[in-house]
Amino acid sequence: MNLDDTKKRVQKYLNSNKRYPLIVDVQTREDLANIVEYFKVGSNKFPAIEEFCNQDEAIKLDELYASVSSNSGNTFITGLSGFLMLFGENVAKQALKTLITTSISGHVVIITYQCEKYLRFTDPRISESGRLVIVDGNPDNICNINFISPTLSDIFTDSYSGIQNIGTAIDSCFNRDAYIATAIDKSSFAESVFHISQVNNSYDILRNKDSRTGIVPQACGLPEQWDYVLHQMGKSGTWTTVIVDNFGSENNLLHVIREYPKFDVEKRWLYYIALLICGVKNNDYLKLALNKTSKSSELIKNIFRSVLDIDWKSENYQKLYRQRKSLISELKKPLPEMIDFCKILSTKGEDEIYYLTDLTQPEKEKIIKWLSNYGVKYSKDELVSILMNVYPDLAYYLSSYRYRNEFLNTYFENYKYQKITNRILPSFDKVVEEQAIKMDFVTILKSRTAYVDKLDTQNAQVFFVDAMGVEYLSFIQQKCSEYGLSANISCARCELPSLTVFNKEFVDVLKDKGCLISDIKDLDDIKHHGKDSFDYEKEKTPIYLIKELEIIDDLLTKIKASILAGSYNKAIIISDHGASRLAVLHETENIWNMETKGEHSGRCCKISEIDDKPDFAIEESGYWILANYDRFRGSRRANVEVHGGASMEEVAVPIIEITQKASNIEAFIVDESRVLTLGAKEYAIIKIYVGIRSNNISIKLDGNYYNAEETAEPYIYSIELKNYSKKGKFSIDILDGGSVLASGQQFEIEKKGMSQNNMFDF
């Protein structure tokens, strides 16, 4: 029967003198609401079905029967269907039969919802008597029933409080799920036609809302934390909403880790759960760390430590190492976890170096200390290879720099190797004492003045870096290349003694040229005063080198920004003197006692204090200046490094001209050098063109480097190849410092007087 005819049928019943109830079964909630609204007029009564229930108890059918049998007037009963379905098919059939066969004095219309199958009575007289109306329609979906703990009712604002409301829920809930806050267990309704979900906590609700919740064990969160998620999820019913609201996107979780240190405890936990829910994409290392994590508080610890479970020699180690480094770099100084990591890393012994990075101060210090413990077991090249992966800046420092003199090349390679391994090799000590007598630096290095006078200072800014020796040139050269800068480097010697007061002549010269000069004393402060716990008496390893490289790098970064901004075209870095770490490590006093204690850490003293020339000393400017690694007796020990003496590292100083690196620099062998015809006892001298002016031009031939010298012609450089006099064809690379400007340039040597004819020519 259609809806309109049903209304007419009900009205006709109300106007009749029939003394039995009328049951109207509808297929949709909409039709049910329509009928109720239509008849909710006049004296028609609509008692709440809950009147027949106690709080959080099911309906008392006997009371309902009694109420129906004693009814007077017109009464409409709704909300019964939910209880009938809850009790099961047998109870439903019996209850409906009891109601429809009850004799009454007034009129009772019982409106049921999708109960047709329970209204198929064996007694045909019931249906034939007109006591039953079935409304046509396509049945809509009955909502799912979820029993929830009463403690969760405030989370579900649309939940029904108590089992007594199940009838109302079934008749009026248009949602997919109806939540009944009840203390009754679903096992009390074993015959129910509903599939009842028992939800005693927020976790169960979340699992019903979004099946992905089941990925995460309930033990991963406290009850209040699952409550927190449920509040966040709201009516959307999906984790996607929670993750988007808190972290932007399900696909963005990897990068959100940079904000992790700023999260409160709840949000950190939620981030951990989100990773479990969505899985980790594009970072196998985070996946590894996550698999080891059973609670959110362990996540960061496991990001730091999971690498220790991987053999550094394994095939995929480097990939995982890089992914870990990328994660940690996002984390913004998680210092406690890093300190703990460095402690436990000691269990790796000599292998610990392969698990370290250059991201934090504790790790860098650990690398320096590893070099002190194990570095001497490795060659310089082996250490550079290791450090290039774990601490590139330190690898740059240790790398070779070509000083245009083989002695300097060897000397400073060995000096830096000993500085970072924190020891003096006997063979090197012997070289230092030989040089204290030979003083080769006088002939190898020109005076600083010889270079300063020729400097092109147009639109230049000068940086006077106190106590920066030439040992840092490999680092500076490689950082300049990294920053797109060109460094034209000259090495000179300072005045003796190697003290600032005797080495400021260039200041007035450069000021007269109109240069602005910035004094940078940070390096000198470290070497003199042992800033930041670098004092040798307290810390024997050269961890201060970390800060030295950072100071120089900061300066180069500033120069790059200023040149690109057009503040000046060129930066000139110049130093007054160098300093020696090995003189500090040597820890030796000579036999001469100084009258003025503590001056310059004993590396020099006024001639008036000692009448006789001390061993290994140079007389200059009214001072005795030690050129080996001794210090005068009674002097104050150096804090970190020392200067004032005449060791090569104290005397050699750089003059560095930094400009923006030109692109596509032309470099080639000039035509006249492409074929060289040599006579007896003659050797090859080739000329090359390079489109820049630089003191660092060289060629690489058969694995060896040869320095190029400027000629009278601008941009033309000459190279003497004294070992090349025989006939042949040769290929060279042309370099500016460490940058290859041209590869595969060829020249040929022919011999005078030799026949060029083919042996088959006639």
Side-chain angles (χ1 to χ4, degrees), residues 297-310:
S297 59
E298 297 176 344
L299 177 61
I300 300 303
K301 182 185 78 171
N302 286 332
I303 286 176
F304 277 93
R305 294 193 184 187
S306 293
V307 69
L308 299 178
D309 297 330
I310 312 168

Side-chain angles (χ1 to χ4, degrees), residues 282-471:
N282 303 321
N283 194 299
D284 292 338
Y285 182 80
L286 180 55
K287 187 184 301 182
L288 176 69
L290 197 62
N291 288 339
K292 289 173 61 64
T293 303
S294 58
K295 53 185 179 180
S296 63
S297 59
E298 297 176 344
L299 177 61
I300 300 303
K301 182 185 78 171
N302 286 332
I303 286 176
F304 277 93
R305 294 193 184 187
S306 293
V307 69
L308 299 178
D309 297 330
I310 312 168
D311 185 348
W312 69 269
K313 298 176 184 176
S314 62
E315 183 178 352
N316 65 336
Y317 177 76
Q318 284 303 321
K319 174 187 173 184
L320 294 171
Y321 173 91
R322 289 191 297 271
Q323 290 178 344
R324 173 185 180 269
K325 185 173 182 179
S326 176
L327 278 174
I328 293 174
S329 68
E330 299 265 22
L331 277 172
K332 309 292 184 188
K333 300 180 181 178
L335 195 58
E337 292 86 352
M338 178 53 72
I339 290 173
D340 289 343
F341 170 76
C342 286
K343 286 180 181 178
I344 199 167
L345 185 58
S346 298
T347 61
K348 291 292 184 180
E350 189 174 338
D351 286 344
E352 70 182 14
I353 188 67
Y354 301 101
Y355 297 90
L356 289 162
T357 75
D358 59 350
L359 293 175
T360 63
Q361 183 72 16
E363 284 185 285
K364 290 178 180 179
E365 291 183 8
K366 190 81 169 173
I367 291 170
I368 296 290
K369 291 176 181 179
W370 180 90
L371 289 164
S372 294
N373 291 331
Y374 303 105
V376 75
K377 298 173 66 173
Y378 299 81
S379 70
K380 188 269 293 186
D381 289 341
E382 288 172 330
L383 290 180
V384 169
S385 178
I386 293 170
L387 292 172
M388 196 60 76
N389 191 49
V390 301
Y391 191 172
D393 280 1
L394 193 56
Y396 293 162
Y397 168 82
L398 188 57
S399 296
S400 300
Y401 176 82
R402 293 194 302 280
Y403 292 89
R404 306 179 71 80
N405 177 278
E406 193 56 41
F407 174 76
L408 293 181
N409 291 345
T410 303
Y411 184 93
F412 281 103
E413 278 200 27
N414 290 331
Y415 173 79
K416 292 188 292 184
Y417 177 80
Q418 291 168 100
K419 179 173 175 176
I420 70 168
T421 57
N422 207 34
R423 68 198 69 234
I424 301 175
L425 301 176
S427 58
F428 189 78
D429 196 23
K430 182 179 178 181
V431 170
V432 172
E433 298 210 339
E434 288 175 351
Q435 283 301 305
I437 297 170
K438 290 182 178 180
M439 294 187 294
D440 284 342
F441 67 84
V442 176
T443 55
I444 292 174
L445 299 169
K446 296 179 182 179
S447 70
R448 181 173 46 227
T449 304
Y451 292 99
V452 173
D453 289 343
K454 297 178 181 179
L455 282 175
D456 177 6
T457 59
Q458 185 175 1
N459 198 15
Q461 169 74 46
V462 177
F463 295 91
F464 171 12
V465 183
D466 199 334
M468 189 179 79
V470 300
E471 65 182 273

Side-chain angles (χ1 to χ4, degrees), residues 125-367:
R125 291 174 297 174
I126 295 176
S127 57
E128 290 173 356
S129 65
R131 304 182 186 190
L132 179 61
V133 177
I134 306 297
V135 183
D136 299 335
N138 294 319
D140 51 19
N141 293 323
I142 298 177
C143 59
N144 300 317
I145 297 299
N146 299 277
F147 284 4
I148 65 172
S149 168
T151 60
L152 301 177
S153 59
D154 62 327
I155 295 173
F156 287 89
T157 56
D158 57 351
S159 63
Y160 298 87
S161 179
I163 195 71
Q164 76 276 8
N165 287 299
I166 192 169
T168 302
I170 292 298
D171 281 6
S172 61
C173 180
F174 284 85
N175 297 328
R176 184 184 68 176
D177 295 283
Y179 293 94
I180 311 296
T182 177
I184 299 174
D185 191 89
K186 69 175 184 178
S187 61
S188 300
F189 305 103
E191 302 299 321
S192 172
V193 299
F194 296 127
H195 172 71
I196 303 173
S197 296
Q198 185 84 41
V199 183
N200 293 323
N201 52 57
S202 294
Y203 176 83
D204 292 337
I205 300 171
L206 289 168
R207 191 167 53 184
N208 287 338
K209 281 176 168 285
D210 190 327
S211 61
R212 290 183 293 176
T213 307
I215 297 171
V216 185
Q218 185 175 352
C220 285
L222 298 172
E224 55 266 29
Q225 288 174 317
W226 295 118
D227 293 350
Y228 169 72
V229 176
L230 207 51
H231 279 295
Q232 293 252 321
M233 189 174 286
K235 294 184 178 181
S236 72
T238 69
W239 275 100
T240 299
T241 299
V242 177
I243 293 169
V244 168
D245 288 348
N246 284 276
F247 308 117
S249 166
E250 292 186 359
N251 297 320
N252 193 46
L253 291 175
L254 180 61
H255 300 293
V256 169
I257 201 168
R258 72 184 61 167
E259 303 297 329
Y260 186 91
K262 300 177 185 177
F263 293 162
D264 59 24
V265 173
E266 288 303 325
K267 196 164 183 178
R268 289 186 179 190
W269 172 80
L270 184 59
Y271 178 71
Y272 164 63
I273 299 299
L275 287 173
L276 294 175
I277 292 289
C278 298
V280 177
K281 302 175 180 68
N282 303 321
N283 194 299
D284 292 338
Y285 182 80
L286 180 55
K287 187 184 301 182
L288 176 69
L290 197 62
N291 288 339
K292 289 173 61 64
T293 303
S294 58
K295 53 185 179 180
S296 63
S297 59
E298 297 176 344
L299 177 61
I300 300 303
K301 182 185 78 171
N302 286 332
I303 286 176
F304 277 93
R305 294 193 184 187
S306 293
V307 69
L308 299 178
D309 297 330
I310 312 168
D311 185 348
W312 69 269
K313 298 176 184 176
S314 62
E315 183 178 352
N316 65 336
Y317 177 76
Q318 284 303 321
K319 174 187 173 184
L320 294 171
Y321 173 91
R322 289 191 297 271
Q323 290 178 344
R324 173 185 180 269
K325 185 173 182 179
S326 176
L327 278 174
I328 293 174
S329 68
E330 299 265 22
L331 277 172
K332 309 292 184 188
K333 300 180 181 178
L335 195 58
E337 292 86 352
M338 178 53 72
I339 290 173
D340 289 343
F341 170 76
C342 286
K343 286 180 181 178
I344 199 167
L345 185 58
S346 298
T347 61
K348 291 292 184 180
E350 189 174 338
D351 286 344
E352 70 182 14
I353 188 67
Y354 301 101
Y355 297 90
L356 289 162
T357 75
D358 59 350
L359 293 175
T360 63
Q361 183 72 16
E363 284 185 285
K364 290 178 180 179
E365 291 183 8
K366 190 81 169 173
I367 291 170

